[in-house]
Amino acid sequence: AIGLGSEGGEFQEIVKKIVFQGKPLNEDNVFHMKRELGDVLWYWANACNALGLEPQDVINENISKLQTRYPGGKFDEWFSENRKDGDL
């Protein structure tokens, strides 16, 4: 789990530099983000394995959660801030 957070942070750092510090969204930066996302995926898959979870089941559960949270099928700030009981 520690690697998952740190690799996600490395991805976010690149995004931050592009959004807030004026770095270009160019081929080199996209390639760097691609590599960091690969690291995130590797740690995520290993976390699934360690917990005895099938990756597709995790994905399906997330889809179900988001469909319930956002009944219109797209992000809505109100629903994001006003969740139903039990919606983590």
Side-chain angles (χ1 to χ4, degrees), residues 3-8 10-11 32-46:
L4 185 60
S6 62
E7 295 299 341
E10 289 181 23
F11 175 82
H32 190 179
M33 287 188 285
K34 177 182 178 180
R35 292 183 67 136
E36 296 305 336
L37 285 173
D39 291 341
V40 168
L41 182 58
W42 188 87
Y43 280 103
W44 176 82
N46 279 282

Side-chain angles (χ1 to χ4, degrees), residues 50-68:
L51 295 170
L53 301 172
E54 289 294 326
Q56 189 61 52
D57 291 343
V58 174
I59 292 167
N60 291 342
E61 181 65 31
N62 185 256
I63 291 169
S64 177
K65 174 187 77 172
L66 294 175
Q67 286 174 334
T68 300

Side-chain angles (χ1 to χ4, degrees), residues 65-81 83:
K65 174 187 77 172
L66 294 175
Q67 286 174 334
T68 300
R69 185 178 297 165
Y70 303 112
K74 66 178 190 172
F75 177 79
D76 182 292
E77 188 175 320
W78 189 89
F79 286 117
S80 178
E81 295 294 325
R83 296 183 182 176

